[in-house]
Amino acid sequence: MSQTTIRTQTPAARAAGASGPAGAAHDADEADGALNALGLFTVLLGAALPLIDFFIVNVALPAMDRDLNAGPALLELVVAGYGVAYAVLLVLGGRLGDTFGRRRLFLAGMAAFGLTSLACGLAPNAWSLVAGRVAQGASAALLLPQVLATIHATTSGPRRARAVSLYGATAGLAMVAGQILGGVLVAADLAGTGWRAVFLVNVPVALAGLALAARAIPETRSDRPAPVDVPGTALLALALIALLLPLTEGRAAGWPLWTWLLLAAFPLAAVAFYAIERRLESSGRTPLLPPSLFALPGLRRGLLMLLPFSAGFGGFMFVIAVALQQGLRYGPVEAGLALTPMATTFFIASLMGPRLVSRYGNRVVTTGSVIQAVGIALLILTVHQSWTDLTLADLLPGIAIAGFGQGLQLPVLIRGILAEVPAERAGVGSGVMVTTQQSALALGVATLGTLFLTLTPSMGMGDAMVRTLALQLAGIVVTGLLSLRLPRMLG
């Protein structure tokens, strides 16, 4: 078992850490090379699991409904419970890794993820499944922030650029592969497990991840750990819950009073959170999310672009799963296989990304948004013209082109967001990025998914899908326009 702990600092990092909110940390220069190929594979496995499980349930929801008699409100809680718990605790997970050691938190998160997946797979009723999903989301929030923070702390230069690009490729592939794998597992009905297999499959993977992590991941942590910002953590949790929970549950629950009260509380909680964080930082203490982090232009602009990109991605994946299964009566395997072209082209584009960025810089993101827009526009035209007779072959061109465009964007965005984050803020920087991504994914399911399900009864599923995809297309245009403000080359 590796006992390596990376704590040394360059003088520049030490000086920055003395005044930085996250305290001093691991070092950048002497850590170079500490994360070997097996270690990188292991942390990328840890990145893939939580993202796969956000999407793997989409094609399993009809089977869950039949087996547990859950109803739409509880089914949406199966999705929302995971997503909200995950988003709320991600920044805290990054801070805990900075304090107690990222390898230690990675191991704890992987073990908890395996146990909670087992609980979901054995859930006797719908409410037990919801509780298991909330716990699974909390486990994912411990696990995922350690991935980028470990990469950031143990690599530098071209090795870091390659590792972050591979992280971006893994994240995108995991989101698409989740629905493909979910469809295959539900249809396979392994040993009569049906939909339960989408959770039980995580158990052996988590055990393998634990064995690999104990051997291959070096320990990194902050030399001056900061105390947990309890008021900031509570207010961030309140703000995200107040926004995401009513948007996700409101339609299925009939928009009761509590949904409106929570939405009204969101801006108040967000303003209070910002005020407390700013006051803590100005007084020399350590806030959960340092406002000064947003002074980094690459991080600020990248996060702004990540919002519409991830919201569109999350909404698209939910809508296409529902439309194909409930609208066109595809089986779970067919619904999953419809996304295979997207996974394939995303992976190809992700591999091309580093070379293209070295030559063309961040204009790769702009080009990717144009290509994605062409793919979604083609998909809109196809659905509009051929909805009732739509085949997998009809869907292939639009989905493949959209996937290629997404693959050019996401890894470069992630790399750009983290490029300027100093080593002593690796944990909180990666936590902020992943929280933004996860919140936007959940927001996309809540908004685009709700719009799609609301329009379906009045205009039919085909036209509802066209309207929803058109809204996603508008978000892609916004991402493309924002990309024009990025610096020509990555820092």
Side-chain angles (χ1 to χ4, degrees), residues 22-260:
H26 43 267
D27 97 78
D29 296 332
E30 295 185 39
D32 188 27
L35 188 69
N36 60 23
L38 183 61
L40 179 59
F41 171 81
T42 305
V43 294
L44 292 179
L45 177 66
L49 275 177
L51 290 168
I52 285 173
D53 264 65
F54 183 82
F55 290 96
I56 201 169
V57 299
N58 283 347
V59 291
L61 290 174
M64 291 176 190
D65 191 18
R66 288 192 300 270
D67 189 24
L68 300 178
N69 194 26
L74 279 180
L75 285 177
E76 291 195 16
L77 269 180
V78 169
V79 179
Y82 180 88
V84 172
Y86 187 14
V88 162
L89 296 172
L90 275 165
V91 177
L92 179 62
R95 169 60 55 80
L96 292 175
D98 287 347
T99 302
F100 297 108
R102 299 185 183 99
R103 176 173 167 272
R104 180 177 297 176
L105 265 290
F106 185 95
L107 288 166
M110 183 69 80
F113 195 82
L115 288 172
T116 54
S117 295
L118 179 62
C120 289
L122 299 178
N125 54 55
W127 280 110
S128 298
L129 179 57
V130 169
R133 285 286 282 172
V134 171
Q136 193 185 34
S139 302
L142 289 180
L143 175 63
L144 190 59
Q146 318 317 324
V147 175
L148 278 170
T150 297
I151 289 173
H152 202 65
T154 59
T155 61
S156 62
R159 292 187 69 249
R160 179 183 294 174
R162 284 193 297 272
V164 173
S165 293
L166 283 172
Y167 172 88
T170 301
L173 275 175
M175 290 187 278
V176 179
Q179 282 184 208
I180 298 172
L181 179 62
V184 171
L185 288 172
V186 172
D189 193 22
L190 301 172
T193 54
W195 60 265
R196 297 176 187 276
V198 305
F199 301 115
L200 296 175
V201 71
N202 293 330
V203 177
V205 177
L207 289 172
L210 284 170
L212 290 171
R215 177 182 177 187
I217 298 179
E219 182 65 283
T220 63
R221 62 165 61 90
S222 170
D223 283 337
R224 296 185 181 91
V228 173
D229 171 14
V230 176
T233 301
L235 283 169
L236 178 62
L238 176 60
L240 289 174
I241 290 170
L243 176 64
L244 297 175
L245 188 60
L247 287 177
T248 305
E249 280 294 296
R251 184 200 63 84
W255 296 104
L257 179 62
W258 66 263
T259 60
W260 298 107

Side-chain angles (χ1 to χ4, degrees), residues 1 19 40 80 145 240 289 442 474:
M1 179 182 293
S19 58
L40 179 59
L240 289 174
L289 202 167

